[in-house]
């Protein structure tokens, strides 16, 4: 998560990311990033909403709707540049809108705008499911990367089990999106499809992050409590008595 930035008159945005490695709580890293994802809701949700509104208002005029979505994406990107925010985030938002607009123009259908998102959810869902089946639950990989612990968790059977349980939450998330949005796409219902995409975007991601936190919290809380209760070991034999006594 990138630190907030803005002009001199802007109120500082809250930063929930831990400031030091010692403050990291493994069970919270995904939730923290989900709660900090409101920018993603604006970047992805606004062009989609503009596309759907333009599509319905203009009587299914695809070309106008696509350009309206691209204009909304460009306006958001310009605002991000003015605020000197992450160029990576800006590029990702523009690329996503651009791909959706391109597919819609090629398919010549309003529902074509949502094909990239559907394929993305299928890909993510399959990736998380496969990671569970092969013993490398993706939530463990992500948490290990974000906390700097790598894949050391794989040596712990309990952690593998709890990370697998948490990963099933995300399989459910992506499956639910496909189950709801897939039939809407096949039916060609652009309005309901756009509404479902927005509602099932960042809000559902935040919910999944929270449930992941609930699954992981008992295990890590118990481990920290056990570590705090562990008495210090005896001094090394080579340690001088005065140094051992402090």
């Amino acid at each position: 998560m990138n630190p907030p930035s803005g002009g001199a008159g802007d109120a500082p945005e809250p930063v929930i990311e831990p400031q030091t490695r010692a403050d990291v709580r493994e069970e919270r890293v995904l939730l923290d990033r989900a709660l900090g994802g409101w920018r993603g809701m604006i970047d992805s949700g606004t062009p989609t909403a503009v596309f759907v509104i333009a599509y319905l208002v203009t009587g299914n005029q695809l070309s106008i709707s696509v350009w309206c979505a691209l204009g909304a994406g460009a306006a958001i990107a310009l605002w991000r540049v003015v605020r000197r925010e992450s160029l990576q985030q800006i590029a990702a938002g523009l690329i996503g809108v651009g791909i959706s607009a391109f597919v819609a123009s090629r398919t010549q259908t309003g529902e074509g705008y949502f094909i990239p998102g559907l394929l993305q959810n299928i890909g993510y869902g399959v990736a998380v499911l496969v990671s569970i089946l092969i013993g490398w639950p993706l939530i463990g990989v992500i948490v290990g990367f974000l906390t700097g612990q790598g894949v050391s968790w794989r040596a712990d059977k309990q952690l593998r089990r709890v990370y697998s349980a948490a990963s099933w939450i995300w399989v459910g998330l992506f499956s639910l999106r496909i189950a709801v949005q897939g039939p809407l796409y096949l039916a060609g219902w652009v309005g309901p499809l756009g509404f479902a995409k927005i509602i099932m975007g960042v809000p559902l991601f935040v919910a999944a992050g929270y449930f992941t936190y609930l699954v992981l919290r008992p295990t890590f809380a118990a481990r920290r409590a056990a570590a705090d209760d562990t008495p210090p070991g005896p001094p090394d034999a080579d340690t001088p008595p005065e140094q051992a006594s402090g």
Side-chain angles (χ1 to χ4, degrees), residues 69-90:
L70 289 172
I76 293 172
L78 179 61
W79 173 248
R80 300 278 185 234
V81 171
V82 170
R83 290 175 58 87
R84 299 181 180 179
E85 296 181 3
S86 168
L87 293 177
Q88 181 179 3
Q89 185 180 28
I90 295 169

Side-chain angles (χ1 to χ4, degrees), residues 8-228:
D10 294 333
E13 300 167 358
V15 177
I16 57 178
E17 188 173 19
Q19 298 301 304
T20 65
R21 181 61 53 84
D23 293 332
V24 169
R25 291 294 182 264
E26 294 90 338
E27 68 270 29
R28 282 195 57 90
V29 291
L30 287 178
L31 178 59
D32 287 345
R33 281 153 180 77
L35 292 173
W38 61 270
R39 287 191 182 95
M41 182 187 299
I42 297 175
D43 291 349
S44 62
T46 300
T48 298
V50 169
F51 174 84
V52 172
I53 293 172
Y55 190 77
L56 297 177
V57 169
T58 61
N60 303 346
Q61 292 294 320
L62 183 62
S63 178
I64 296 176
S65 305
V66 166
W67 281 109
C68 286
L70 289 172
I76 293 172
L78 179 61
W79 173 248
R80 300 278 185 234
V81 171
V82 170
R83 290 175 58 87
R84 299 181 180 179
E85 296 181 3
S86 168
L87 293 177
Q88 181 179 3
Q89 185 180 28
I90 295 169
L94 277 177
I95 290 173
V97 174
I99 292 175
S100 295
F102 173 77
V103 174
S105 64
R106 298 295 294 179
T107 61
Q108 287 299 301
T109 61
E111 59 269 25
Y113 184 88
F114 302 94
I115 291 177
L118 288 171
L119 294 178
Q120 185 180 52
N121 280 294
I122 292 173
Y124 285 163
V126 170
V128 179
L129 177 60
V130 170
S131 74
I132 296 172
L133 297 178
I134 65 175
W136 282 80
L138 198 56
I139 295 304
V141 176
I142 294 174
V143 172
F145 171 77
L146 293 176
T147 59
Q149 297 179 2
V151 296
S152 59
W153 54 269
R154 292 204 74 248
D156 190 315
K157 185 176 181 179
Q158 183 184 25
L159 285 182
R160 292 202 308 271
R161 183 168 58 250
V162 75
Y163 279 140
S164 293
S167 295
W168 279 111
I169 296 173
W170 297 86
V171 173
L173 164 69
F174 299 123
S175 299
L176 181 61
R177 287 177 176 174
I178 297 167
V180 173
Q181 298 175 31
L184 295 176
Y185 165 78
L186 295 175
W189 294 346
V190 176
L193 180 55
F195 179 78
K197 178 179 174 62
I198 295 172
I199 295 301
M200 303 182 78
V202 173
L204 202 58
F205 184 84
V206 172
Y210 178 69
F211 284 115
T212 299
Y213 164 71
L214 293 181
V215 170
L216 300 181
R217 180 178 59 180
T219 297
F220 286 105
R223 286 169 176 255
R224 283 192 291 270
D228 292 339

